[in-house]
Amino acid sequence: MAALQKLLQRGRLDRLYFLLVVLWEAGAGQMHYSVPEEIDKGSFVGDIAKDLGLEPLTLAERGVRIVSRGRTQLFALNPRSGSLVTAGRIDREALCAQSAQCLVNFNILLEDKFNIYSVEVEITDINDNAPRFGVDELELKISESTTPGFRIPLKSAHDADVGENTLQKYELNPNDHFSLVVRSGVDGNKYPELVLELALDREEKAVHHLVLVALDGGSPVRSGTSRIHVTVLDVNDNAPIFTQPEYRVSVPESMPIGTRILTVTATDTDEGYNAQVAYFKEKNPGETSEIFELESTSGDITIIKSLDYEDAKVHEIDIEAQDGPGLLTRTKVIVTVLDVNDNAPEFYMTSSTSSIPEGSPPGTIIALFNVHDRDSGQNAFITCSLPENLPFKLERSVDNYHRLVTTRALDREQFSSYNVTVTAKDGGKPSLSTDAYITLQVADINDNPPTFPHMSYSAYIPENNPRGASIISVVAHDPDSDDNAHITYSLTEDTLQDAPLSSYISINSDTGILYALRSFDYEQFQDLHLRLTAWDNGNPPLSSNVSLSIFVLDQNDNAPEILYPALPTDGSTGVELAPRSAEPGYLVTKVVAVDRDSGQNAWLSYRLLKASEPGLFTVGLHTGEVRTARALLDRDALKQSLVVVVQDHGQPPLSATVTLTVAVADNIPDVLADLGSTRTPADPNDSDLTLYLVVAVAAVSCVFLAFVIVLLGLRLRRWHSSRLLQASGGGLVGVPASHFVGVDGVRAFLQTYSHEVSLTADSGESHVIFPQPNYADMLLSQESCEKKDFLSSPQSLLEDKGEETSQEMVYLVSHTFFLLPGQIFLSTWINNSFSIKNMKIEGWLLHTVVEFI
């Protein structure tokens, strides 16, 4: 029929049409279709018009219709397409139940010729039914004395589908006491059985709740469940009785595993659950319990492990029969084993060594062993062999003894150990063989010194490290083994800053870890160079050296140190001079500071922290230069106080501050007037010092006054002599007066040793402070810098005194050092009055004596 359909599809309708009509009219043709159940109404089943050889539009003209015999019409004809379609939903299970094949037969009538055609439609199954249990819940009762292995049949499930869509398996929820066994019946159905795996204890748990799941094989898989309630009972009064007090059986040792050798039977006079008998083996020590298995329900004894005649010729099995509640009886089964050839050779190691020194001569014996086969005859003939490419060989001795010896000297550095496999093979057919494994360690001799992975090492440690801090771990390797590879580390003795190196660094002799014994200071030293020695523990010991450089990393642990202005030891504050005529940017002074740290920790920055008059002065960020920010005004105070902070760039940054006093004035009298007005109240002890100073000044002044009078006399004499010489027309008219030795020479001497002085306004002892010469220029007024002839023109000085008094204070200071044995005196000329401890000295006065030892 399929071949005819293919011919029709290839366009040969004209030639086969007549033949098909004849065949169908003769009743030789039958149309067969297949359709799955549960498809929608109007689904296509088959092409009736094509199979009848008619055009679809002619079906209605020829009166084609379906003829049924009183049953529900499941199919219909589509007059337009000429195809057979479903007339409604088709349920295979309702039509054919559990039949393997479901066929629906009906006829098609052609009314114009009264021809009848037979049609057969097969309804195929789909997985539209899940397995169902007869009961949703099952109640079971089991005695607590029931031994494991007891079986209880369960209610089976039913699946209306057929084939793969029907019930395939059962599953039981996991639990400790029960398992599930599925038994297949003669009819092909599957019957579940509940097996007790662990003895029940009613006092511990009286009811066990289980869930049994039935699964079919459709896609998707459908399932059904049944809940099982197991109630534990405790009743029984009759024990089972065996049919024989003792059972005997003989089996060859080659009997296959799984063979049943005997069935034991016991009966129980009780009824129902109490009469159900289960069989168990007594658990006796030995191999017998591991060789045989007893089926608990049938009493069948099977082999689960190969028998060995040489191990045991007879096996005894103690069997118990137990009824449902737990009463039992015992019997014995004696199994006699018959011998067959099934033994492989066996090794017996008589003597062996696990270690051999490298360099041992060839022929050194490694092991002595015996090979034995418990079989007999040809099956017990044994040959031994070794793998190739090993430095060993076998030497045969008497009674199947063999020696394993070396064929050459061994080198541990090449192979530290050998795993030698010795194969013993018997002469049976098929032959049996056994392998023996001998592990040999090659003992080391100390022929390799320790080696370091690197030629030198470098380590870094921050300064101020805690004592005992770990610096670096230096590890050496020795290819030897055991004591020969045990390495001890030490430091080569050396000194650092006249101290032994061992007082700075220590090394753990076992691990090679270096520790700092003291806290390092980067400012003291920046690096240490060591030499480490690694010794092995061989005899004699071998060693190697390696150099190590430890670099100390700087930390910000030093605050900036201000070098200038230096703080006076007597607690006074230096005064810097800034003329009122200074332009913006005028350099007043410079703060100089250093930091003992290095790198970023020593980068210093300067800033103005506090000023008595903000905006008047600026400080260079990197230079520390104090400059005027604007032009000085008359309203600006004569005394300005500045606080400059110097800060480094460490983390965290450290800083130092210095206080500067700047005097704003164009001349020294202005400064001194301001300083005098700002002095602090005198100390009571100053009165004595003032008295001493006045006495000293008076004495020196008298001496100096006498000296000046003498000089004036000499000057007048020379002047009178020069007038006489000029009147007489002498040759000395053109010679300058400065070339004569006298008052001018003294004046030159005084000017040569002239120094400028800076006075402080807040000295508690009225000391005169002499700062650096570069600041003297700031304190000298223009008038003080003029070179006047004090001795030759005293009258002019007196005449100028009236003009100088118009100023607040004008000082002309010149210092002359007179060197005496062990002492240095400083004399000072001062014009106008000067206050020392509230005492005034008028006129020209030598007022200060300073003694230096």
Side-chain angles (χ1 to χ4, degrees), residues 24 109 217 571:
W24 281 325
L109 172 64

Side-chain angles (χ1 to χ4, degrees), residues 292-311:
F292 301 98
E293 182 183 46
L294 174 64
E295 176 63 36
S296 61
T297 57
S298 63
D300 294 339
I301 300 175
T302 57
I303 301 174
I304 60 173
K305 186 178 179 180
S306 299
L307 300 173
D308 192 349
Y309 173 81
E310 289 71 23
D311 288 342

